[in-house]
Amino acid sequence: MQTLSVRLIKEIDVQNPQQPSRRNFLSQSARVTAGGVLLASGMAAAAPSTASSIICADDARSVKQFDASHYLLRNVRLEEGFEREGEMIIGTRTGLWTLEINHGKIVAVQPATTAAASDLPVFDAGGLLLLPATRDMHIHLDKTFYGGPWQAPRPRKGKTIMDMIAREQQLIPQLLPTSVARAEAIIDLLHAKGTTVARSHCNIDPVSGLKSLEHLQIALEKHRNDFSCEIVAFPQHGLLHSKVDGLMREAMQMGVQFVGGLDPTNVDGDMEKSLDAMFRIALDTNTGVDIHLHETSPAGVAAIKYMIKTVKENPTLKGKVTLSHGFALATLSGNELDTVIRDMAEQQFSVASTIPLGKLTMPLPQLSAQGVTVMTGTDSVIDHWSPFGSGSMLEKANLYAQLYGHSDEFGLTRSLAIATGDVLPLDSSGKRQWPAVNDDAEMILVDASCSAEAVARISEVKATFHQGRVVFGGVAKA
């Protein structure tokens, strides 16, 4: 594993009376100052809740030396097709190629042996495998322990979701002073794991008001050239329960792309009223919906069916609803499951799953097979809910492959799709479909011979490119 250097990030004073307003805060930058290198670590962990400083991962990257917008990347290993014994796929054939990158686009792909001489800057990938950059489509950048000394979550046995919400109401004021730096620390970690695109849920609650959103947007503004991120306004303490309809609407006017929701029966106590309120905000603001649904009782199934019905009745919502977690789907089987999945596909639902381990197994392959877009995400790197997140979407693809029995060459290559937004180097017949001319230069170099190995071995990411620019690691100038 590559060693990450670590720097000290000073506390951001959110109680300063000169805190920027909600309307103009993006014009100002957070007062974040880097100190000297303190130690080396593969991953920083949890900051004490009362800390006045935060440790932030910084990978000693070579980005400053890589400032070309139009260049050649040579000796890139690309997948060229499947190797077969009869009808059985037993391997993946690769070769060395040269890519021309121009202002974030791949404009030429040529075999390394035939690439013509050029006056462009040339960088050498050294035979590393090129894969599509990964996408973390369910994460909470706004609240995390990541960035400081280790702190495990408190025991949860016997605790309800309402108990966890009460705990969070105590933690939020302690986390807010360093939330910008913490978000930036996780962005650095995601870069190191190959992720350049994300969707982050952000608390909208009576405790933090809109400050969590303001701080997250500050962090994202600071990384607008190296990281793309959608935001979900997330009523973590319940849309109805915490009476945040007004705050949610104000958040939507601040450039948020999705209205969030949470367990309409278990938290809000009124499934239809809660879902109606969520969808009403989305309709009024012409935005999408991304709801956390953890409920595994019949109420969870009823909520999914009610959402499908609502989208059917409101066609402008079609293709704009994401079901995050959706554990109730794991309680269904047979014709009922097929019918629900078919209805979700017809209304172009997507599902964001962390690929959970437990007694219930999510029907993710069935969802994909019937046309439902399935995505994955970190959810938590480390916070008061869970300590187990690594930030690696390759690890999620590996978990998917293990959980659903995709241990052969072909299955491993297909498992990569959940981490890359369905972008795969080879199609199912073995024809190369990525990278192609005019594709965005969202890509990673990994130490692997092929994508099957990268998934099975969770191969190390050596360089990450966003819009053609190196945002992690580096390549040698030829």
Side-chain angles (χ1 to χ4, degrees):
M1 175 180 288
Q2 178 168 342
T3 299
L4 304 181
S5 64
V6 178
R7 57 193 169 97
L8 180 67
I9 300 297
K10 292 185 177 180
E11 179 180 6
I12 299 167
D13 184 3
V14 298
Q15 297 177 343
N16 190 312
Q18 297 180 344
Q19 177 76 11
S21 72
R22 293 170 188 160
R23 302 301 178 193
N24 65 12
F25 74 94
L26 280 179
S27 65
Q28 304 180 35
S29 63
R31 295 183 296 108
V32 181
T33 305
V37 174
L38 300 181
L39 53 95
S41 171
M43 179 176 122
S49 58
T50 58
S52 61
S53 62
I54 174 173
I55 300 300
C56 175
D58 185 3
D59 49 274
R61 61 190 67 181
S62 58
V63 177
K64 290 182 179 179
Q65 287 73 43
F66 193 99
D67 56 2
S69 59
H70 190 187
Y71 61 92
L72 298 181
L73 185 62
R74 74 179 188 188
N75 289 327
V76 174
R77 185 166 303 282
L78 298 182
E79 296 189 345
E80 299 177 333
F82 292 130
E83 296 178 352
R84 303 174 185 268
E85 281 187 1
E87 295 299 315
M88 181 169 50
I89 295 171
I90 61 167
T92 302
R93 187 175 67 258
T94 65
L96 296 180
W97 294 72
T98 295
L99 272 60
E100 181 180 346
I101 311 296
N102 190 0
H103 288 87
K105 291 285 187 179
I106 298 170
V107 298
V109 182
Q110 304 175 1
T113 55
T114 63
S118 172
D119 293 332
L120 293 172
V122 180
F123 299 89
D124 197 317
L128 293 170
L129 177 71
L130 192 79
L131 293 178
T134 58
R135 303 163 64 91
D136 191 324
M137 300 307 288
H138 187 106
I139 192 170
H140 295 261
L141 293 173
D142 65 313
K143 53 180 184 181
T144 177
F145 291 165
Y146 184 78
W150 167 257
Q151 180 181 333
R154 295 184 180 183
R156 289 183 59 182
K157 186 176 182 180
K159 292 185 181 295
T160 66
I161 191 169
M162 301 309 294
D163 294 328
M164 294 298 290
I165 288 172
R167 167 68 176 149
E168 182 169 294
Q169 289 169 342
Q170 298 174 343
L171 281 174
I172 290 293
Q174 299 168 355
L175 295 174
L176 271 173
T178 54
S179 63
V180 172
R182 291 171 187 270
E184 289 193 86
I186 296 184
I187 291 171
D188 280 349
L189 174 67
L190 296 182
H191 280 156
K193 301 297 184 179
T195 291
T196 59
V197 174
R199 181 184 296 178
S200 177
H201 296 255
C202 181
N203 265 39
I204 305 297
D205 59 67
V207 177
S208 62
L210 296 174
K211 287 190 180 297
S212 289
L213 175 58
E214 291 174 359
H215 290 190
L216 176 58
Q217 289 186 307
I218 289 172
L220 294 178
E221 175 67 11
K222 288 157 68 71
H223 287 270
R224 64 179 174 176
N225 293 325
D226 59 48
F227 191 69
S228 299
C229 186
E230 301 169 330
I231 300 177
V232 183
F234 177 44
Q236 172 71 82
H237 305 166
L239 179 57
L240 303 182
H241 178 75
S242 60
K243 300 178 182 179
V244 291
D245 189 280
L247 280 174
M248 289 283 288
R249 290 177 179 276
E250 193 168 353
M252 304 315 295
Q253 300 305 314
M254 294 171 63
V256 173
Q257 293 87 0
F258 292 87
V259 180
L262 173 69
D263 296 345
T265 300
N266 288 352
V267 175
D268 276 342
D270 190 324
M271 185 264 287
E272 292 190 9
K273 186 176 180 181
S274 178
L275 294 178
D276 285 346
M278 178 187 69
F279 280 120
R280 186 72 265 160
I281 297 172
L283 288 166
D284 289 346
T285 57
N286 192 30
T287 50
V289 166
D290 190 330
I291 179 174
H292 284 62
L293 189 66
H294 308 96
E295 297 166 349
T296 55
S297 65
V301 176
I304 294 173
K305 293 180 177 179
Y306 189 82
M307 285 190 282
I308 293 170
K309 174 176 174 290
T310 300
V311 176
K312 284 182 179 178
E313 294 171 352
N314 298 273
T316 59
L317 292 169
K318 187 173 183 178
K320 297 167 68 174
V321 176
T322 298
L323 181 63
S324 282
H325 305 306
F327 298 146
L329 292 172
T331 69
L332 301 178
S333 60
N335 290 336
E336 185 177 16
L337 176 60
D338 290 340
T339 299
V340 169
I341 293 178
R342 184 180 65 247
D343 289 344
M344 290 175 65
E346 287 177 356
Q347 301 310 317
Q348 298 176 13
F349 274 56
S350 58
V351 171
S353 175
T354 59
I355 316 175
L357 298 173
K359 295 180 180 179
L360 297 173
T361 301
M362 287 290 293
L364 301 183
Q366 296 96 310
L367 286 159
S368 295
Q370 292 199 42
V372 176
T373 298
V374 178
M375 309 176 291
T376 191
T378 299
D379 199 0
S380 158
V381 171
I382 177 170
D383 59 15
H384 63 294
W385 296 88
S386 170
F388 296 119
S390 72
S392 170
M393 295 301 100
L394 281 179
E395 184 178 89
K396 292 294 183 180
N398 173 282
L399 180 58
Y400 181 94
Q402 291 193 64
L403 195 58
Y404 299 104
H406 294 177
S407 60
D408 64 337
E409 186 83 5
F410 181 76
L412 288 165
T413 68
R414 301 305 92 183
S415 296
L416 179 64
I418 199 169
T420 62
D422 290 330
V423 180
L424 292 174
L426 302 179
D427 66 17
S428 293
S429 68
K431 180 181 179 181
R432 193 180 74 214
Q433 58 185 1
W434 182 94
V437 172
N438 293 324
D439 281 346
D440 292 333
E442 299 289 322
M443 52 198 188
I444 57 178
L445 289 169
V446 298
D447 188 8
S449 63
C450 61
S451 59
E453 181 184 5
V455 170
R457 308 308 306 162
I458 315 178
S459 300
E460 183 179 0
V461 174
K462 294 293 188 178
T464 301
F465 297 76
H466 176 63
Q467 297 176 356
R469 294 186 296 271
V470 175
V471 297
F472 168 81
V475 287
K477 191 164 185 177

